[in-house]
Amino acid sequence: MKAEFINPILESTINVIETMASTKVVMGKASLKKGIRVWGLVNGIIGMASQDLAGNLILSFDKESILGIVSSMLGEKMTDITPDVVDAVGELTNMICGGAKAILGKIGYKFDMATPVMLVGQELELCQFSKAPVITAPFTVEYGKFVVETNLYSKNAK
Amino acid sequence: MKAEFINPILESTINVIETMASTKVVMGKASLKKGIRVWGLVNGIIGMASQDLAGNLILSFDKESILGIVSSMLGEKMTDITPDVVDAVGELTNMICGGAKAILGKIGYKFDMATPVMLVGQELELCQFSKAPVITAPFTVEYGKFVVETNLYSKNAK
Protein backbone atom coordinates (compact mmCIF):
# COMPACT_ATOMS: atom_id res chain seq x y z
CA MET A 1 0.00 0.00 0.00
CA LYS A 2 1.48 3.29 -1.08
CA ALA A 3 0.84 6.42 0.99
CA GLU A 4 -0.13 7.87 -2.38
CA PHE A 5 -3.19 5.58 -2.32
CA ILE A 6 -4.27 5.97 1.28
CA ASN A 7 -4.04 9.75 1.60
CA PRO A 8 -6.57 10.56 -1.16
CA ILE A 9 -9.00 8.07 0.40
CA LEU A 10 -8.67 9.70 3.81
CA GLU A 11 -8.92 13.19 2.30
CA SER A 12 -12.07 12.20 0.42
CA THR A 13 -13.56 10.69 3.58
CA ILE A 14 -13.17 13.97 5.46
CA ASN A 15 -14.51 16.01 2.51
CA VAL A 16 -17.59 13.86 2.00
CA ILE A 17 -18.61 13.43 5.65
CA GLU A 18 -17.98 17.09 6.51
CA THR A 19 -19.98 18.23 3.47
CA MET A 20 -22.84 15.73 3.67
CA ALA A 21 -23.31 15.79 7.44
CA SER A 22 -22.19 19.38 8.13
CA THR A 23 -20.00 18.12 10.94
CA LYS A 24 -16.33 18.37 11.83
CA VAL A 25 -14.38 15.17 11.16
CA VAL A 26 -11.21 14.44 13.15
CA MET A 27 -8.88 11.75 11.85
CA GLY A 28 -6.75 9.53 14.08
CA LYS A 29 -3.59 7.66 13.15
CA ALA A 30 -3.79 5.19 10.27
CA SER A 31 -2.26 1.77 10.91
CA LEU A 32 -2.02 -1.76 9.55
CA LYS A 33 -5.22 -3.68 10.29
CA LYS A 34 -4.73 -6.75 12.44
CA GLY A 35 -7.22 -9.60 12.37
CA ILE A 36 -10.48 -9.96 10.48
CA ARG A 37 -13.03 -8.45 12.85
CA VAL A 38 -15.20 -5.77 11.23
CA TRP A 39 -14.89 -2.65 13.36
CA GLY A 40 -18.40 -1.24 13.53
CA LEU A 41 -22.10 -2.04 13.22
CA VAL A 42 -23.01 -0.63 9.79
CA ASN A 43 -20.61 -1.18 6.93
CA GLY A 44 -20.21 -0.24 3.29
CA ILE A 45 -17.84 -2.08 0.95
CA ILE A 46 -16.94 -1.15 -2.61
CA GLY A 47 -14.55 -2.76 -5.07
CA MET A 48 -12.06 -0.70 -7.08
CA ALA A 49 -10.52 -2.09 -10.25
CA SER A 50 -8.44 -1.23 -13.29
CA GLN A 51 -5.70 -2.92 -15.25
CA ASP A 52 -3.25 -1.49 -12.72
CA LEU A 53 -5.17 -1.25 -9.43
CA ALA A 54 -7.36 -3.58 -7.38
CA GLY A 55 -8.82 -3.56 -3.90
CA ASN A 56 -11.71 -2.62 -1.68
CA LEU A 57 -12.74 0.40 0.33
CA ILE A 58 -14.62 -0.31 3.56
CA LEU A 59 -16.46 2.18 5.75
CA SER A 60 -17.47 0.94 9.19
CA PHE A 61 -19.64 3.08 11.48
CA ASP A 62 -20.69 2.63 15.09
CA LYS A 63 -24.42 3.07 15.68
CA GLU A 64 -24.08 6.55 17.15
CA SER A 65 -21.92 7.97 14.37
CA ILE A 66 -24.07 6.73 11.50
CA LEU A 67 -27.36 7.76 13.13
CA GLY A 68 -25.92 11.24 13.72
CA ILE A 69 -24.46 11.54 10.22
CA VAL A 70 -27.60 10.32 8.45
CA SER A 71 -29.88 12.44 10.67
CA SER A 72 -27.83 15.46 9.61
CA MET A 73 -27.84 14.38 5.92
CA LEU A 74 -31.60 13.85 5.82
CA GLY A 75 -32.59 16.66 8.20
CA GLU A 76 -34.62 14.15 10.18
CA LYS A 77 -33.78 12.45 13.48
CA MET A 78 -32.92 8.78 12.87
CA THR A 79 -32.99 6.54 15.95
CA ASP A 80 -32.71 3.10 14.35
CA ILE A 81 -30.71 1.36 11.64
CA THR A 82 -33.53 1.51 9.08
CA PRO A 83 -33.19 0.66 5.37
CA ASP A 84 -32.81 4.44 4.76
CA VAL A 85 -29.78 4.52 7.05
CA VAL A 86 -28.26 1.45 5.37
CA ASP A 87 -28.89 3.04 1.98
CA ALA A 88 -27.18 6.24 3.11
CA VAL A 89 -24.09 4.17 3.98
CA GLY A 90 -24.09 2.89 0.38
CA GLU A 91 -24.33 6.45 -0.87
CA LEU A 92 -21.50 7.64 1.40
CA THR A 93 -19.36 4.68 0.29
CA ASN A 94 -19.96 5.61 -3.34
CA MET A 95 -19.21 9.29 -2.76
CA ILE A 96 -16.03 8.71 -0.75
CA CYS A 97 -14.75 6.23 -3.32
CA GLY A 98 -15.70 8.63 -6.11
CA GLY A 99 -13.82 11.46 -4.42
CA ALA A 100 -10.73 9.28 -4.00
CA LYS A 101 -11.01 8.19 -7.65
CA ALA A 102 -10.98 11.83 -8.74
CA ILE A 103 -7.93 12.71 -6.65
CA LEU A 104 -6.00 9.56 -7.61
CA GLY A 105 -6.91 10.00 -11.28
CA LYS A 106 -5.16 13.38 -11.28
CA ILE A 107 -1.89 11.79 -10.20
CA GLY A 108 -2.12 8.99 -12.75
CA TYR A 109 -3.78 6.22 -10.72
CA LYS A 110 -6.98 5.41 -12.55
CA PHE A 111 -9.62 2.90 -11.53
CA ASP A 112 -13.32 2.22 -11.94
CA MET A 113 -15.78 1.51 -9.15
CA ALA A 114 -17.96 -1.54 -8.58
CA THR A 115 -21.22 -0.94 -6.68
CA PRO A 116 -21.39 -0.79 -2.86
CA VAL A 117 -22.72 -3.56 -0.67
CA MET A 118 -23.80 -2.87 2.89
CA LEU A 119 -23.60 -5.21 5.88
CA VAL A 120 -25.14 -4.68 9.29
CA GLY A 121 -24.00 -6.70 12.26
CA GLN A 122 -21.91 -6.75 15.42
CA GLU A 123 -18.65 -8.67 15.46
CA LEU A 124 -18.78 -9.66 11.83
CA GLU A 125 -15.62 -11.16 10.38
CA LEU A 126 -14.48 -10.28 6.90
CA CYS A 127 -11.39 -11.77 5.23
CA GLN A 128 -9.57 -10.23 2.31
CA PHE A 129 -8.27 -12.44 -0.48
CA SER A 130 -5.29 -10.31 -1.39
CA LYS A 131 -1.60 -10.13 -0.62
CA ALA A 132 -1.92 -6.38 -0.04
CA PRO A 133 -2.06 -5.19 3.57
CA VAL A 134 -5.20 -3.52 4.87
CA ILE A 135 -4.74 0.02 6.21
CA THR A 136 -7.28 1.20 8.78
CA ALA A 137 -7.87 4.78 9.87
CA PRO A 138 -10.14 5.91 12.74
CA PHE A 139 -12.32 9.00 12.53
CA THR A 140 -14.32 10.87 15.15
CA VAL A 141 -17.36 13.07 14.61
CA GLU A 142 -19.46 14.77 17.28
CA TYR A 143 -21.86 11.81 17.26
CA GLY A 144 -19.47 8.86 17.44
CA LYS A 145 -16.70 7.06 15.60
CA PHE A 146 -16.10 5.29 12.32
CA VAL A 147 -13.19 3.73 10.48
CA VAL A 148 -12.12 3.61 6.85
CA GLU A 149 -10.12 0.66 5.55
CA THR A 150 -8.55 -0.16 2.22
CA ASN A 151 -6.27 -2.69 0.62
CA LEU A 152 -5.98 -0.86 -2.72
CA TYR A 153 -2.74 -1.85 -4.42
CA SER A 154 -0.98 -1.73 -7.77
CA LYS A 155 -0.72 -5.08 -9.55
CA ASN A 156 2.16 -3.69 -11.60
CA ALA A 157 4.24 -2.31 -8.74
CA LYS A 158 7.56 -4.02 -8.19
CA MET B 1 -29.31 -7.44 -16.18
CA LYS B 2 -28.78 -8.80 -19.65
CA ALA B 3 -28.81 -12.56 -20.22
CA GLU B 4 -25.53 -11.82 -21.98
CA PHE B 5 -24.03 -10.99 -18.59
CA ILE B 6 -25.47 -13.77 -16.48
CA ASN B 7 -24.82 -16.72 -18.79
CA PRO B 8 -21.03 -16.32 -18.92
CA ILE B 9 -20.98 -16.08 -15.12
CA LEU B 10 -22.98 -19.30 -14.78
CA GLU B 11 -20.86 -21.04 -17.41
CA SER B 12 -17.67 -20.00 -15.64
CA THR B 13 -19.08 -21.22 -12.30
CA ILE B 14 -19.67 -24.69 -13.70
CA ASN B 15 -16.26 -24.76 -15.43
CA VAL B 16 -14.32 -23.71 -12.36
CA ILE B 17 -16.08 -25.88 -9.77
CA GLU B 18 -16.08 -28.96 -12.03
CA THR B 19 -12.38 -28.49 -12.80
CA MET B 20 -11.16 -27.52 -9.34
CA ALA B 21 -13.25 -30.02 -7.36
CA SER B 22 -13.51 -32.80 -9.95
CA THR B 23 -17.22 -32.99 -9.33
CA LYS B 24 -20.35 -32.73 -11.45
CA VAL B 25 -22.18 -29.40 -11.07
CA VAL B 26 -25.92 -29.23 -11.76
CA MET B 27 -27.48 -25.81 -12.23
CA GLY B 28 -31.05 -24.94 -11.24
CA LYS B 29 -33.21 -22.13 -12.55
CA ALA B 30 -31.88 -18.58 -12.22
CA SER B 31 -34.30 -16.01 -10.82
CA LEU B 32 -34.56 -12.50 -9.44
CA LYS B 33 -33.29 -12.40 -5.86
CA LYS B 34 -35.84 -11.28 -3.32
CA GLY B 35 -34.82 -9.81 0.00
CA ILE B 36 -31.38 -9.26 1.48
CA ARG B 37 -30.68 -12.55 3.28
CA VAL B 38 -27.36 -14.12 2.31
CA TRP B 39 -28.11 -17.65 1.15
CA GLY B 40 -25.34 -19.76 2.64
CA LEU B 41 -22.71 -19.98 5.39
CA VAL B 42 -19.45 -19.18 3.57
CA ASN B 43 -19.48 -16.37 1.05
CA GLY B 44 -17.14 -14.73 -1.43
CA ILE B 45 -17.81 -11.28 -2.91
CA ILE B 46 -15.90 -9.54 -5.68
CA GLY B 47 -16.44 -6.19 -7.37
CA MET B 48 -16.35 -5.82 -11.16
CA ALA B 49 -15.78 -2.43 -12.75
CA SER B 50 -15.06 -0.64 -15.99
CA GLN B 51 -16.22 2.56 -17.64
CA ASP B 52 -19.20 0.61 -18.94
CA LEU B 53 -19.90 -2.11 -16.34
CA ALA B 54 -20.30 -2.22 -12.57
CA GLY B 55 -21.52 -4.76 -10.05
CA ASN B 56 -20.63 -7.59 -7.74
CA LEU B 57 -20.36 -11.35 -8.01
CA ILE B 58 -21.32 -13.32 -4.90
CA LEU B 59 -20.75 -17.01 -4.23
CA SER B 60 -22.59 -18.47 -1.25
CA PHE B 61 -21.95 -22.05 -0.11
CA ASP B 62 -23.65 -24.21 2.48
CA LYS B 63 -21.26 -25.92 4.89
CA GLU B 64 -21.51 -29.31 3.21
CA SER B 65 -20.85 -28.07 -0.32
CA ILE B 66 -17.81 -25.98 0.54
CA LEU B 67 -16.24 -28.66 2.77
CA GLY B 68 -16.69 -31.19 -0.03
CA ILE B 69 -15.38 -28.89 -2.75
CA VAL B 70 -12.34 -27.75 -0.77
CA SER B 71 -11.57 -31.31 0.41
CA SER B 72 -11.52 -32.32 -3.23
CA MET B 73 -9.42 -29.27 -4.24
CA LEU B 74 -6.83 -29.85 -1.53
CA GLY B 75 -6.89 -33.65 -1.54
CA GLU B 76 -7.41 -33.56 2.21
CA LYS B 77 -10.59 -34.10 4.22
CA MET B 78 -11.82 -30.75 5.63
CA THR B 79 -14.38 -31.00 8.45
CA ASP B 80 -14.48 -27.39 9.63
CA ILE B 81 -14.62 -23.91 8.17
CA THR B 82 -10.93 -23.22 8.75
CA PRO B 83 -8.99 -20.23 7.36
CA ASP B 84 -7.85 -22.53 4.53
CA VAL B 85 -11.47 -23.17 3.55
CA VAL B 86 -12.29 -19.46 3.67
CA ASP B 87 -9.21 -18.72 1.58
CA ALA B 88 -10.30 -21.33 -0.98
CA VAL B 89 -13.62 -19.48 -1.31
CA GLY B 90 -11.65 -16.32 -2.17
CA GLU B 91 -9.69 -18.27 -4.76
CA LEU B 92 -12.85 -19.77 -6.29
CA THR B 93 -14.46 -16.31 -6.36
CA ASN B 94 -11.44 -14.94 -8.19
CA MET B 95 -11.34 -17.82 -10.66
CA ILE B 96 -15.06 -17.77 -11.46
CA CYS B 97 -14.99 -14.00 -11.94
CA GLY B 98 -11.85 -14.32 -14.06
CA GLY B 99 -13.50 -16.96 -16.24
CA ALA B 100 -16.57 -14.75 -16.72
CA LYS B 101 -14.32 -11.80 -17.54
CA ALA B 102 -12.62 -13.82 -20.27
CA ILE B 103 -15.92 -14.93 -21.84
CA LEU B 104 -17.53 -11.47 -21.59
CA GLY B 105 -14.40 -9.79 -22.95
CA LYS B 106 -14.70 -11.85 -26.14
CA ILE B 107 -18.18 -10.43 -26.79
CA GLY B 108 -17.13 -6.86 -26.11
CA TYR B 109 -18.01 -6.48 -22.41
CA LYS B 110 -14.77 -5.64 -20.66
CA PHE B 111 -14.23 -5.10 -16.95
CA ASP B 112 -11.52 -5.35 -14.32
CA MET B 113 -11.77 -7.21 -11.03
CA ALA B 114 -11.41 -5.89 -7.50
CA THR B 115 -10.16 -8.39 -4.89
CA PRO B 116 -12.48 -10.88 -3.14
CA VAL B 117 -13.70 -10.52 0.42
CA MET B 118 -15.05 -13.50 2.32
CA LEU B 119 -17.76 -13.54 4.97
CA VAL B 120 -18.72 -16.45 7.19
CA GLY B 121 -22.02 -16.47 9.05
CA GLN B 122 -25.55 -17.80 9.16
CA GLU B 123 -28.42 -15.52 8.22
CA LEU B 124 -26.25 -12.57 7.28
CA GLU B 125 -27.97 -9.71 5.50
CA LEU B 126 -26.29 -7.93 2.63
CA CYS B 127 -27.82 -4.96 0.80
CA GLN B 128 -26.80 -3.82 -2.65
CA PHE B 129 -26.53 -0.11 -3.41
CA SER B 130 -27.48 -0.33 -7.06
CA LYS B 131 -30.55 0.07 -9.21
CA ALA B 132 -29.69 -3.16 -11.03
CA PRO B 133 -31.60 -6.30 -10.04
CA VAL B 134 -29.74 -9.20 -8.43
CA ILE B 135 -29.97 -12.51 -10.28
CA THR B 136 -29.51 -15.63 -8.20
CA ALA B 137 -28.81 -19.13 -9.52
CA PRO B 138 -28.74 -22.34 -7.44
CA PHE B 139 -26.22 -25.12 -8.00
CA THR B 140 -25.98 -28.65 -6.66
CA VAL B 141 -22.87 -30.76 -6.28
CA GLU B 142 -22.63 -34.23 -4.76
CA TYR B 143 -21.72 -32.69 -1.39
CA GLY B 144 -24.35 -29.96 -1.07
CA LYS B 145 -25.62 -26.73 -2.59
CA PHE B 146 -24.41 -23.25 -3.38
CA VAL B 147 -25.71 -20.17 -5.16
CA VAL B 148 -24.16 -17.56 -7.42
CA GLU B 149 -25.55 -14.04 -7.50
CA THR B 150 -24.72 -10.97 -9.52
CA ASN B 151 -26.00 -7.47 -10.18
CA LEU B 152 -23.54 -6.72 -13.00
CA TYR B 153 -25.02 -4.05 -15.28
CA SER B 154 -24.07 -1.64 -18.02
CA LYS B 155 -24.02 2.01 -16.96
CA ASN B 156 -24.36 3.00 -20.61
CA ALA B 157 -27.32 0.77 -21.50
CA LYS B 158 -30.51 2.60 -22.36
Side-chain angles (χ1 to χ4, degrees):
Chain A
M1 165 73 60
K2 293 187 180 184
E4 280 169 289
F5 294 165
I6 187 72
N7 289 337
I9 290 171
L10 304 180
E11 182 184 335
S12 175
T13 302
I14 294 171
N15 287 345
V16 168
I17 301 291
E18 290 199 337
T19 305
M20 295 300 290
S22 309
T23 187
K24 176 88 185 139
V25 175
V26 178
M27 190 174 81
K29 193 173 168 358
S31 62
L32 264 182
K33 183 178 176 77
K34 297 188 183 96
I36 56 172
R37 179 63 54 86
V38 173
W39 183 82
L41 175 68
V42 192
N43 309 284
I45 307 170
I46 187 166
M48 300 171 281
S50 66
Q51 287 195 302
D52 180 29
L53 303 179
N56 296 287
L57 173 65
I58 300 178
L59 306 189
S60 185
F61 296 90
D62 65 14
K63 186 175 177 180
E64 294 73 24
S65 71
I66 196 60
L67 289 178
I69 288 167
V70 179
S71 296
S72 181
M73 281 169 70
L74 303 182
E76 183 188 338
K77 178 84 180 155
M78 310 302 283
T79 54
D80 264 317
I81 307 301
T82 61
D84 281 351
V85 172
V86 174
D87 225 47
V89 170
E91 192 175 339
L92 291 170
T93 307
N94 237 351
M95 293 178 75
I96 289 171
C97 194
K101 172 178 153 76
I103 302 169
L104 282 163
K106 283 186 197 155
I107 55 170
Y109 293 112
K110 299 201 182 296
F111 64 85
D112 289 299
M113 292 158 54
T115 54
V117 298
M118 292 82 80
L119 279 164
V120 181
Q122 288 289 8
E123 307 199 348
L124 297 173
E125 292 185 338
L126 183 144
C127 303
Q128 300 269 359
F129 187 77
S130 167
K131 280 170 284 187
V134 179
I135 304 293
T136 182
F139 292 85
T140 305
V141 288
E142 60 185 290
Y143 318 109
K145 292 174 187 295
F146 65 97
V147 307
V148 170
E149 299 181 350
T150 187
N151 65 339
L152 184 65
Y153 79 108
S154 166
K155 293 177 272 187
N156 303 320
K158 285 175 190 168
Chain B
M1 165 74 60
K2 295 186 178 185
E4 280 168 290
F5 294 165
I6 187 72
N7 289 336
I9 290 171
L10 303 180
E11 182 186 335
S12 174
T13 302
I14 295 170
N15 287 347
V16 167
I17 301 291
E18 289 199 337
T19 306
M20 295 300 291
S22 309
T23 188
K24 176 87 184 140
V25 176
V26 178
M27 191 175 81
K29 193 173 167 0
S31 61
L32 264 181
K33 183 179 176 79
K34 297 187 183 97
I36 57 173
R37 180 63 54 88
V38 173
W39 183 83
L41 175 68
V42 192
N43 309 284
I45 307 170
I46 187 166
M48 299 170 282
S50 66
Q51 286 194 302
D52 180 29
L53 303 178
N56 296 288
L57 173 66
I58 300 179
L59 306 189
S60 185
F61 297 90
D62 67 13
K63 186 175 177 182
E64 294 72 24
S65 71
I66 197 59
L67 289 179
I69 288 167
V70 178
S71 295
S72 181
M73 281 170 70
L74 303 182
E76 182 188 337
K77 178 85 178 153
M78 310 302 284
T79 55
D80 264 316
I81 307 301
T82 60
D84 280 352
V85 172
V86 175
D87 224 47
V89 170
E91 192 175 339
L92 292 169
T93 306
N94 237 351
M95 293 178 75
I96 289 171
C97 194
K101 171 178 153 77
I103 302 169
L104 282 164
K106 282 185 197 154
I107 55 170
Y109 294 112
K110 298 200 182 295
F111 63 85
D112 289 298
M113 293 158 54
T115 54
V117 298
M118 293 83 79
L119 279 164
V120 181
Q122 287 291 8
E123 307 199 350
L124 296 174
E125 293 184 338
L126 182 143
C127 302
Q128 300 269 0
F129 187 77
S130 168
K131 281 169 283 188
V134 179
I135 305 292
T136 181
F139 293 86
T140 305
V141 289
E142 60 185 292
Y143 318 109
K145 293 173 187 294
F146 65 96
V147 307
V148 171
E149 300 181 349
T150 187
N151 66 338
L152 185 64
Y153 80 108
S154 166
K155 292 177 272 188
N156 303 320
K158 285 175 190 168

